[in-house]
Amino acid sequence: MIADLTRAERLWAMLILGALGLIGLAMAIGGRNDLLGIHGWIVLAAGLAGFIAVMRGRDAPEPSAERLNEYYDAPTRVGLILTLLWAVVGMGVGFWVAALLAWPDMTFDVPWLSFGRLRPVHTSGVIFGFGGNALIATSFHVLQRTTRARLPDQISPWFVLLGYNLFCVIAASGYLMGLTQSKEYAEPEWYADIWLVVVWVVYFAIYMRTLARRKEPHIYVANWYYMAFILVVAILHIVNNLAVPISLDSAKSYSLFSGVQDAMTQWWYGHNAVAFFLTAGFLGMMYYYLPKRAGRPIFSYRMSIISFWGITFMYMWAGSHHLHYTALPHWVQTLGMAFSVVLLVPSWASAGNALLTLNGAWHKVRDDAVLRFMALAAIFYGITTFEGSFMAIRAVNSLSHYTDWTIGHVHAGALGWVAMITFGSLYSIVPSMFKRERIYSQKLVEVHFWLALSGTVIYVFAMWNSGVTQGLMWRTYTESGGLTYSFIDSLVAMHPYYIARAFGGLLFLLGALTALYNVVMTIRMPAPASDDPALDIPAKPALQAGE
Amino acid sequence: MAGLIERDKVSGQTTTGHEWNGIKELNTPVPRLLWAFLITATIFSVTWTVLMPSWPGINGYFRGLLGVDQRVAVTQSVEEAAVERESWTSRIDSEDFAAIQADDALMAIVRETGAALFGDNCAACHGTNARGTPGFPNLVAAPTMWGDDPETVAETIRVGINGTSPETRYAQMLAFGRDHMLERADIDAVVSYVETLSRPELAAGMDADTLAYGAEVFAANCAGCHGEDARGMTDTGAPNLTDQYWTYGGDRASIRQSVYHGRAGTMPSWEGRLSPTHIKLLTLYVLDLRAHEQ
Ligand code: HEM
Ligand code: HEM
């Protein structure tokens, strides 16, 4: 890893890591009477550990110029492993909070084991830890293959990957200590937010610098989506997190927005986090790995165009469907609903484009669990977006809102779409990334597929049932016009579904563990005698970094 | 690699001529069905925005042809619901407790509506079956501390106990040990004595002198609130200590804890949160539970 860096880059790395350590030290000292101080120590430890690692490797010989004839995949390799580790952590905590909802006494009166603190560890762990690492790792891979250009240098990809994971660690550890700005999916406090902005700008710069040096005349669809993901997430993140810290040595800050403007800003953010983090990024993934694995051309370039612009344009206006029947003015709700309904068209066009691409390769879907993961992801994407547009209709939302139906919808998307496309893509590149001939066990991939599918189906059906039951119980009136059920009656009715959900989640988690095991065993397999890299290299002549 | 346009055998379509690391694209026209879908969805949505409050302007927004407004709608439906319920709520409001209790049809409504009302407001402390949880009394079977005639129960609900209402009922069990009002030996003696009040069989295993001394301590310190006979007093809200119902537990350790550290539980003042009708309804509901228990 460090031997890959040029001498100059090693110096830069030491400078950056040293600066990071100093910032950590300042936070630790300034925030010693605050939880900020603990994060200071974590940052200091991260900076110091990196600094020492680079320092110890700084005298290694300069990497050979040969490297410029190859793609730079080391960050992708590490990213793939981090993806799996976060999957296990995030889904493990997901399973735990699912069990907490069925057996609420399991907090044992320990503050950091309480539902309120663990839930964001789950959501951030899976969305940012698992999903984010998967997006970063695959985007570096796809970007180089589809531009036939090597990443511009060897330090910024590491900065992005490791810096991003530092953000994830700060976020998760903060939740456990009770640090949150109480905005869903944007819980981390101001200093973590600022750090993420820095990381994200570098990420975008890598994309632009690589695209600028591309050796293909056209930019492939996958890159449109990855870029939309990076750019829009930056905008969302910056705007929704505008806040004033109460002082520089405190973790606490106050949002710039208040009241209904705050709610609208938050759900403009929240919905587009779904759109550009959980959808656009993973569509980028799908657009590369699915046709590649199927060995089929994309069904329709024209449909790609329509769906891309439809999705990027329409999602932006749909956020208010999260605030139906609230203090938000009625007219904003109407517009959110109107855009959400039309949004179904480009969404289904994307799902359809993916599924029609499989025409002529359905026998492969049958035989190959990896491709089946991706095909199923496209189907779940279709189901989830249909459900989403349906739930965005005000009258439907009056039933579904605040219920487990939303949770069912979320996980149809999260498990069925996001996680399945990720696992499919991951299995399809792990062998080539680690220069192995094949995955360690195709059987285990098959096992994982069925665990994932049955887990998702159990989870989603349990939540559909419980959500609709809940919604109906809350609105059932007696003859005399009073409520038939108290809230606690509806909780009692949820109990069996919560157990079923925890079980479905457990199956899904076991699948993720299988994947981790399979990938570790693949890496530990002996390398093939001769690998033939000729097929997987950038365009010649080799490009100098920064050219 | 660009330029080479091929024909795909499976679909019969041509490629666009673009290729990225082996991935090609077909130039398939957008299916008619998709256009139809897009047009339908757009027509639906645009129509919807014409009917409903939607497009913003500089000073305000387009109200929509149907003149719907969610604030008006919610106010209206709340009013309608009230009108619908009036046939029986007006009777709850106007008739006295005995008359309502005698009317089976009305009591059926009380039971039905009261269950949800109790579940949403009271069950968190008193339990879904109203039989109490540690720290909160059993409302079905235990004697009431402030009196069990309907007016008194309704008043207890209205003002609460140690609540926020200026008229709240006020009751505190003093911390005799922590505040050094009694010696340790006095406390041990009075705890033994209190134990025997509800479980006389325990006396056999205890030292008679201690019990006698405990009784003295009780008379001097506790009887003022709990009564000479320890059967509780509704004036002070102090509970009966001779029965089998314990708010905080009747084992020796719990009794000792109560005497040493005192107790001052809270019941919220419900006035302002619940309407007078609801308070009366809950009173009837709880008394009905009690009546069925006996
Ligand atoms: C092992 C699998 C999983 C289990 C057992 C699980 C369980 C849970 C539970 C119990 C909740 C809280 C629901 C509530 O508050 O009522 C939740 C929320 C959530 N989970 Fe998962 N989850 C799993 C996987 C995932 C994955 C892979 C993702 C995303 C990629 C994800 C995304 C979310 C999100 C976004 C929420 C918040 C939903 C909302 O607030 O509406 N989950 N999950
Ligand atoms: C056409 C596309 C979609 C539309 C119109 C849509 C619409 C909706 C609606 C109406 C809600 C419920 C809001 C509420 O009642 O609070 C919702 C919640 C949610 N959706 Fe979607 N959805 C779509 C696709 C997706 C996809 C693909 C995912 C991917 C994982 C997803 C993830 C979520 C999440 C995480 C929430 C929960 C937000 C929260 O309350 O915490 N949605 N969506």
Side-chain angles (χ1 to χ4, degrees):
Chain A
M1 192 164 147
I2 288 150
D4 288 350
L5 306 182
T6 62
R7 296 246 160 139
E9 283 173 335
R10 286 172 211 164
L11 216 63
W12 271 110
M14 277 159 61
L15 224 63
I16 294 170
L17 289 161
L20 183 69
L22 286 179
I23 294 174
L25 188 65
M27 284 164 68
I29 294 172
R32 65 193 173 284
N33 297 322
D34 192 89
L35 292 174
L36 180 73
I38 298 181
H39 274 159
W41 290 113
I42 295 180
V43 173
L44 176 61
L48 215 57
F51 186 84
I52 293 173
V54 179
M55 184 136 105
R56 291 176 58 178
R58 80 178 184 286
D59 291 331
E62 187 86 355
S64 83
E66 282 287 294
R67 75 181 192 283
L68 297 176
N69 298 330
E70 287 177 14
Y71 293 126
Y72 191 42
D73 288 330
T76 300
R77 281 192 283 275
V78 174
L80 291 175
I81 294 172
L82 286 168
T83 301
L84 283 170
L85 293 179
W86 277 107
V88 171
V89 172
M91 294 178 200
V93 179
F95 170 66
W96 186 260
V97 291
L100 265 182
L101 285 172
W103 300 286
D105 289 336
M106 289 200 322
T107 59
F108 311 110
D109 286 335
V110 180
W112 60 268
L113 277 181
S114 60
F115 182 80
R117 294 197 189 177
L118 286 180
R119 192 186 193 275
V121 177
H122 163 60
T123 52
S124 292
V126 284
I127 299 177
F128 299 123
F130 166 65
N133 273 302
L135 288 171
I136 293 175
T138 57
S139 68
F140 288 159
H141 178 256
V142 171
L143 175 63
Q144 299 183 87
R145 271 41 178 206
T146 53
T147 56
R148 289 195 303 142
R150 182 182 159 94
L151 293 178
D153 63 80
Q154 290 141 128
I155 183 165
S156 58
W158 289 115
F159 180 80
V160 170
L161 182 72
L162 301 178
Y164 179 76
N165 279 278
L166 178 62
F167 165 80
C168 293
V169 167
I170 295 280
S173 58
Y175 307 152
L176 292 179
M177 298 188 289
L179 283 178
T180 170
Q181 27 174 36
S182 310
K183 289 186 162 217
E184 202 177 10
Y185 316 127
E187 291 95 343
E189 275 290 358
W190 59 277
Y191 50 96
D193 292 337
I194 293 175
W195 174 243
L196 186 60
V197 171
V198 176
V199 168
W200 219 249
V201 167
V202 176
Y203 189 17
F204 191 63
I206 292 180
Y207 237 83
M208 297 313 286
R209 287 160 72 203
T210 309
L211 278 173
R213 294 166 27 253
R214 72 180 185 278
K215 287 290 168 277
E216 292 286 359
H218 295 272
I219 300 177
Y220 184 51
V221 188
N223 288 324
W224 310 349
Y225 278 110
Y226 277 122
M227 271 200 296
F229 147 64
I230 302 171
L231 188 65
V232 178
V233 167
I235 298 170
L236 299 170
H237 174 74
I238 292 173
V239 174
N240 191 40
N241 285 304
L242 288 174
V244 184
I246 59 171
S247 81
L248 285 181
D249 53 19
S250 164
K252 174 95 191 108
S253 66
Y254 284 96
S255 172
L256 219 57
F257 308 101
S258 63
V260 77
Q261 282 87 358
D262 185 38
M264 189 61 249
T265 311
Q266 157 62 20
W267 284 109
W268 165 77
Y269 165 90
H271 187 67
N272 287 297
V274 166
F276 289 90
F277 210 106
L278 295 179
T279 299
F282 292 90
L283 281 172
M285 213 184 259
M286 181 183 83
Y287 260 105
Y288 183 83
Y289 296 104
L290 184 135
K292 192 86 188 146
R293 187 80 180 184
R296 291 286 305 150
I298 291 291
F299 171 72
S300 167
Y301 172 56
R302 294 159 191 252
M303 245 159 91
S304 305
I305 299 180
I306 293 208
S307 356
F308 176 78
W309 288 110
I311 285 176
T312 40
F313 175 68
M314 230 81 79
Y315 258 114
M316 274 291 155
W317 309 98
S320 55
H321 66 219
H322 289 263
L323 296 165
H324 280 333
Y325 299 98
T326 63
L328 190 74
H330 196 154
W331 63 266
V332 193
Q333 301 175 26
T334 310
L335 293 181
M337 166 182 156
F339 279 104
S340 305
V341 169
V342 184
L343 183 54
L344 181 59
V345 180
S347 302
W348 269 19
S350 304
N353 212 2
L355 291 173
L356 291 169
T357 295
L358 293 172
N359 275 348
W362 285 104
H363 60 285
K364 292 189 189 165
V365 176
R366 185 191 59 208
D367 298 337
D368 176 12
V370 176
L371 189 57
R372 216 180 309 131
F373 260 119
M374 295 195 256
L376 200 73
I379 294 174
F380 267 106
Y381 178 65
I383 296 175
T384 311
T385 49
F386 173 76
E387 184 184 29
S389 294
F390 186 58
M391 287 164 72
I393 298 174
R394 276 177 98 242
V396 178
N397 199 261
S398 76
L399 179 71
S400 74
H401 191 62
Y402 303 123
T403 72
D404 286 330
W405 187 352
T406 304
I407 305 299
H409 163 69
V410 170
H411 290 86
L415 305 179
W417 156 240
V418 171
M420 297 246 193
I421 194 71
T422 302
F423 285 127
S425 308
L426 192 129
Y427 282 126
S428 64
I429 51 168
V430 158
S432 68
M433 282 294 96
F434 291 96
K435 304 215 167 21
R436 298 291 179 269
E437 276 172 322
R438 55 177 179 83
I439 197 87
Y440 167 70
S441 163
Q442 189 63 34
K443 262 232 170 64
L444 281 180
V445 179
E446 194 71 42
V447 168
H448 181 188
F449 175 82
W450 290 107
L451 282 172
L453 177 57
S454 50
T456 307
V457 169
I458 294 174
Y459 191 123
V460 172
F461 271 90
M463 289 298 98
W464 279 339
N465 270 313
S466 90
V468 174
T469 310
Q470 233 175 355
L472 291 176
M473 283 178 88
W474 294 343
R475 56 160 64 173
T476 305
Y477 289 88
T478 58
E479 285 277 288
S480 45
L483 287 171
T484 309
Y485 302 103
S486 61
F487 183 76
I488 204 159
D489 289 331
S490 70
L491 274 184
V492 172
M494 294 311 97
H495 191 62
Y497 299 119
Y498 284 174
I499 296 174
R501 182 256 302 274
F503 176 68
L506 179 64
L507 295 185
F508 205 89
L509 172 65
L510 289 177
L513 285 164
T514 315
L516 179 63
Y517 174 77
N518 210 353
V519 169
V520 169
M521 293 310 282
T522 305
I523 298 171
R524 293 180 56 180
M525 285 195 313
S530 77
D531 55 353
D532 180 14
L535 293 171
D536 194 25
I537 53 169
K540 292 196 169 154
L543 289 164
Q544 292 303 317
E547 186 187 319
Chain B
M1 262 159 270
L4 191 61
I5 295 183
E6 304 159 50
R7 189 166 291 279
D8 172 50
K9 281 200 222 68
V10 178
S11 60
Q13 299 289 340
T14 53
T15 62
T16 54
H18 312 157
E19 184 184 338
W20 298 270
N21 203 27
I23 299 179
K24 296 174 190 170
E25 294 169 322
L26 298 177
N27 208 8
T28 318
V30 177
R32 286 254 176 80
L33 194 66
L34 190 69
W35 288 122
F37 187 21
L38 182 59
I39 292 165
T40 318
T42 309
I43 291 176
F44 171 82
S45 287
V46 171
T47 313
W48 195 253
T49 62
V50 173
L51 297 178
M52 292 290 154
S54 54
W55 304 101
I58 308 280
N59 311 308
Y61 58 90
F62 174 61
R63 309 263 150 179
L65 296 184
L66 295 186
V68 178
D69 178 86
Q70 66 167 7
R71 277 158 221 271
V72 177
V74 78
T75 317
Q76 259 172 13
S77 57
V78 168
E79 279 164 10
E80 278 165 22
V83 170
E84 227 174 87
R85 285 193 286 260
E86 207 165 77
S87 62
W88 59 271
T89 51
S90 61
R91 292 186 54 201
I92 300 263
D93 289 338
S94 59
E95 295 180 21
D96 63 26
F97 285 102
I100 300 172
Q101 279 164 331
D103 184 333
D104 281 344
L106 199 49
M107 280 309 287
I109 296 179
V110 165
R111 282 179 205 119
E112 198 178 61
T113 316
L117 212 52
F118 188 90
D120 282 339
N121 295 285
C122 322
C125 294
H126 293 287
T128 41
N129 55 9
R131 287 177 190 275
T133 60
F136 304 97
N138 183 330
L139 301 178
V140 182
T144 55
M145 293 175 206
W146 298 90
D148 58 6
D149 61 291
E151 279 75 16
T152 308
V153 173
E155 181 67 3
T156 307
I157 297 175
R158 186 179 75 84
V159 299
I161 301 164
N162 300 331
T164 45
S165 157
E167 299 165 78
T168 188
R169 299 196 188 285
Y170 177 76
Q172 189 183 17
M173 163 83 185
L174 302 176
F176 287 95
R178 198 184 62 212
D179 293 345
H180 307 294
M181 296 156 80
L182 288 177
E183 297 298 320
R184 204 166 276 267
D186 299 352
I187 290 179
D188 288 338
V190 80
V191 167
S192 299
Y193 171 71
V194 169
E195 268 192 293
T196 63
L197 293 175
S198 54
R199 282 180 291 165
E201 72 278 6
L202 290 180
M206 292 182 183
D207 176 33
D209 290 343
T210 309
L211 285 181
Y213 183 61
E216 270 174 46
V217 175
F218 189 89
N221 296 278
C222 319
C225 291
H226 290 280
E228 301 288 336
D229 57 0
R231 288 181 182 278
M233 299 210 315
T234 51
D235 303 347
T236 59
N240 185 336
L241 302 176
T242 65
D243 60 22
Q244 306 304 324
Y245 300 104
W246 295 91
T247 305
Y248 294 97
D251 57 297
R252 185 170 178 91
S254 303
I255 297 177
R256 197 168 191 292
Q257 175 83 5
S258 300
V259 177
Y260 195 92
H261 289 287
R263 303 282 187 187
T266 300
M267 151 118 163
S269 314
W270 289 97
E271 184 175 38
R273 162 115 189 225
L274 294 177
S275 68
T277 318
H278 281 166
I279 288 177
K280 200 162 170 189
L281 201 144
L282 279 168
T283 305
L284 287 158
Y285 176 74
V286 169
L287 290 176
D288 186 59
L289 291 179
R290 296 177 71 84
H292 279 85
E293 180 78 1
Q294 275 139 28

